[in-house]
């Protein structure tokens, strides 16, 4: 009976997680197409640097505790509240640092207005800290239907805000307004409708137990984010802002396809694998089924996108963005195996081996950094 219940939950979770991810993907993709015709590559390039810094800060706020809460079998009220207040403290600290150092970052990249944009956009670090635990709870309990409704609603509102601001001529601030609206709406919905509210307590015992597992996830996440965004930081410094804008647009296109599928797989397989961590035969069967299905789905999709890339990008974004085409094609080659890698990572994490997960990722990223250094000797 328990097996049937978990199987039913898994199938339902996959369906609703797909609705969530592909629903928000359609909204984000459509919005991006409109904004690309209203804004310049320079706007996207400047905002690309901001997004990299915000993404790195977000990793510090989560600190691996989100994965630790999902992986832990019996989570207490103290556990959730402890991590909530820790997230809030770290978000305030990081925003303060961004606020102080933003003028130096602007000077380093020689991008006018970067400091002001970073200070305003940085507010989402605090907003996201207030809604992180509610989202973790929904994932842990596999309530992907509720999560889908929240995300689709907030993305829809944010899309309208961004497009209206772009039409009014706000330039890069349209992208800022879109992201801020997304965080605010998500926060409001979750706090109004979520049953969970923080209890005013901080348990050092809870913190230590979760940190033991979460610390390796945190270090791994830092390595992943640094590595994934290293190319953007290098392009922004070594080449033109427009070049960064073309790369950011290509990355968005690739992530729309690959990232959406990977997100569905990640959201569902991690909590499912975690529940099967003591039943290895069932876990192995589940992993095999996942890998086979994803291979048949992802490989043909990426090959098709590589073939039609020339016509697709010009059709969607206009001739202005044709320089993004080769970037997009190269990223699609990597995208073929990205989702399979997500499944493999989740097996290791679900078994509690966050230490092994960390060392594997570190090894791969060191190899990648060496390749980037070699690549710098050539053209972009």
């Amino acid at each position: 009976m328990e097996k049937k219940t978990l199987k039913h939950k898994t199938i339902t979770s996959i369906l609703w997680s797909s609705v969530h991810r592909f629903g928000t993907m359609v909204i984000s993709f459509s919005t991006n197409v409109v904004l690309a015709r209203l804004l310049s590559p320079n706007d996207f390039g400047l905002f690309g640097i901001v997004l990299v810094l915000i993404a790195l800060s977000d990793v510090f706020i989560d600190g691996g505790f989100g994965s630790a809460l999902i992986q832990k079998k019996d989570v207490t009220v103290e556990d959730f509240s402890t991590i909530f207040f820790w997230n809030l403290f770290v978000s305030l600290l990081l925003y303060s640092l961004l606020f102080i150092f933003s003028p130096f970052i602007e000077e380093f990249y020689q991008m006018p207005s970067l400091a002001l944009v970073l200070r305003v956009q940085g507010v989402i670090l605090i907003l996201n800290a207030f809604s992180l635990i509610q989202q973790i709870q929904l994932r842990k309990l596999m309530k992907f239907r509720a999560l889908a409704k929240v995300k689709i609603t907030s993305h829809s509102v944010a899309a309208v805000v961004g497009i209206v601001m772009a039409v009014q001529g706000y330039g890069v601030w349209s992208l800022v307004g879109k992201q801020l609206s997304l965080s605010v709406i998500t926060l409001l919905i979750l706090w109004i409708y979520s049953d969970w509210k923080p209890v005013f307590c901080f348990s050092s015992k809870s913190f230590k137990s979760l940190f033991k597992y979460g610390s390796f996830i945190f270090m791994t996440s830092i390595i992943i984010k640094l590595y994934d965004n290293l190319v953007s930081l290098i392009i922004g410094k070594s080449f033109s802002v427009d070049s960064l804008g073309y790369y950011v647009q290509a990355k968005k296109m690739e992530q729309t396809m690959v990232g959406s599928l990977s997100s569905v797989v990640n959201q569902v397989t991690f909590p499912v694998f975690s529940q099967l961590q003591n039943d290895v035969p069932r876990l192995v069967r589940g992993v095999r089924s996942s890998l086979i299905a994803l291979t048949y789905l992802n490989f043909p999709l990426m090959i098709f996108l590589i073939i039609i890339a020339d016509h697709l990008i010009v059709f969607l974004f206009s001739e202005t963005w044709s320089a993004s085409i080769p970037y997009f094609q190269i990223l699609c080659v990597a995208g073929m195996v990205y989702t399979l890698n997500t499944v493999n990572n989740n097996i290791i994490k679900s078994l509690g081996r966050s230490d092994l997960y960390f060392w594997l990722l570190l090894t791969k990223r060191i190899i990648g950094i060496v390749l980037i250094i070699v690549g710098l000797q050539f053209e972009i």
Side-chain angles (χ1 to χ4, degrees):
M1 185 67 181
E2 183 183 347
K3 290 183 179 180
K4 290 183 178 180
T5 302
L6 181 59
K7 183 178 180 180
H8 175 73
K9 276 187 176 181
T10 303
I11 294 172
T12 305
S13 297
I14 290 173
L15 289 173
W16 278 107
S17 187
S18 299
V19 170
H20 160 207
R21 188 60 202 184
F22 290 106
T24 56
M25 179 198 76
V26 170
I27 296 168
S28 297
F29 181 73
S30 303
T31 307
N32 189 45
V33 169
V34 176
L35 292 176
R37 291 177 174 272
L38 295 171
L39 306 177
S40 68
N42 188 281
D43 291 327
F44 280 93
L46 190 152
F47 195 66
I49 293 293
V50 173
L51 284 183
V52 169
L53 297 171
I54 297 299
L56 291 173
S57 300
D58 266 328
V59 175
F60 280 92
I61 294 171
D62 179 76
F65 290 113
S67 295
L69 288 169
I70 292 173
Q71 195 274 339
K72 188 176 180 181
K73 281 281 187 180
D74 301 309
V75 186
T76 65
V77 174
E78 286 184 343
D79 290 334
F80 283 119
S81 294
T82 296
I83 301 307
F84 171 82
F85 287 111
W86 172 255
N87 289 343
L88 186 58
F89 166 74
V90 175
S91 69
L92 290 168
L93 176 63
L94 287 172
Y95 178 71
S96 300
L97 292 173
L98 279 178
F99 193 92
I100 293 168
F101 288 103
S102 55
F104 302 102
I105 297 171
E106 178 180 300
E107 185 179 350
F108 178 76
Y109 281 102
Q110 295 295 305
M111 293 182 183
S113 304
L114 179 59
L116 182 59
V117 172
L118 185 56
R119 285 174 170 177
V120 176
Q121 179 68 23
V123 174
I124 72 168
L125 295 175
I126 301 171
L127 295 173
N128 291 346
F130 272 100
S131 62
L132 189 59
I133 294 297
Q134 286 91 337
Q135 294 184 60
I136 290 169
Q137 281 197 331
L138 291 175
R139 287 179 60 200
K140 184 175 179 63
L141 297 173
M142 300 177 74
K143 294 184 177 180
F144 292 103
R145 179 179 181 177
L147 193 59
K149 291 179 178 179
V150 172
K151 290 295 184 178
I152 290 174
T153 301
S154 56
H155 272 79
S156 299
V157 175
V160 173
V161 171
I163 292 172
V164 169
M165 289 182 69
V167 170
Q168 295 296 318
Y170 283 96
V172 69
W173 291 104
S174 309
L175 300 171
V176 176
K178 175 176 170 289
Q179 291 297 115
L180 283 173
S181 301
L182 178 62
S183 294
V184 170
I185 299 301
T186 301
L187 171 63
L188 290 175
I189 295 174
L190 287 172
W191 273 81
I192 291 172
Y193 293 103
S194 175
D195 294 330
W196 182 84
K197 297 295 184 292
V199 176
F200 290 97
C201 71
F202 187 93
S203 169
S204 58
K205 182 180 178 181
S206 293
F207 185 86
K208 289 176 182 177
S209 66
L210 292 166
F211 182 77
K212 184 178 179 181
Y213 175 88
S215 57
F216 283 102
I217 300 295
F218 164 66
M219 290 187 288
T220 305
S221 298
I222 285 293
I223 292 170
I224 292 172
K225 285 294 182 182
L226 276 172
Y227 179 79
D228 288 350
N229 293 291
L230 188 60
V231 176
S232 294
L233 295 173
I234 290 171
I235 293 173
K237 177 60 181 173
S238 303
F239 303 96
S240 68
V241 184
D242 283 355
S243 294
L244 178 57
Y246 294 132
Y247 174 77
V248 168
Q249 197 63 267
K251 186 70 174 175
K252 278 187 177 182
M253 275 282 291
E254 183 258 349
Q255 281 296 302
T256 297
M257 311 301 174
V258 179
S260 298
L261 181 59
S262 177
S263 177
V264 171
V265 172
N266 185 54
Q267 285 197 64
V268 177
T269 58
F270 183 38
V272 171
F273 291 169
S274 294
Q275 291 189 37
L276 295 174
Q277 60 185 282
N278 297 321
D279 190 347
V280 177
R282 288 182 67 200
L283 178 60
V284 171
R285 288 196 299 272
V287 170
R288 284 176 178 166
S289 299
S290 300
L291 291 175
I292 291 169
L294 289 170
T295 300
Y296 279 111
L297 178 64
N298 205 40
F299 273 61
L301 174 61
M302 291 300 105
I303 293 170
F304 177 68
L305 289 173
I306 291 170
I307 293 170
I308 68 166
D310 295 46
H311 303 291
L312 181 64
I313 288 181
V314 172
F315 172 73
L316 291 173
F317 304 122
S318 78
E319 199 72 45
T320 305
W321 294 93
S322 58
S324 297
I325 294 169
Y327 304 156
F328 175 67
Q329 290 173 317
I330 293 170
L331 289 168
C332 283
V333 174
M336 288 183 182
V337 294
Y338 185 82
T339 309
L340 303 182
N341 190 49
T342 300
V343 174
N344 291 327
N345 288 338
N346 280 342
I347 302 165
I348 298 169
K349 289 195 295 181
S350 66
L351 293 173
R353 292 301 308 276
S354 56
D355 56 336
L356 177 60
Y357 177 53
F358 168 73
W359 289 114
L360 286 172
L361 264 291
L362 179 62
T363 303
K364 288 190 287 184
R365 266 44 184 187
I366 289 173
I367 294 170
I369 289 170
V370 171
L371 294 174
I372 289 174
I373 293 171
V374 173
L376 278 173
Q377 311 308 312
F378 304 94
E379 293 297 328
I380 189 170

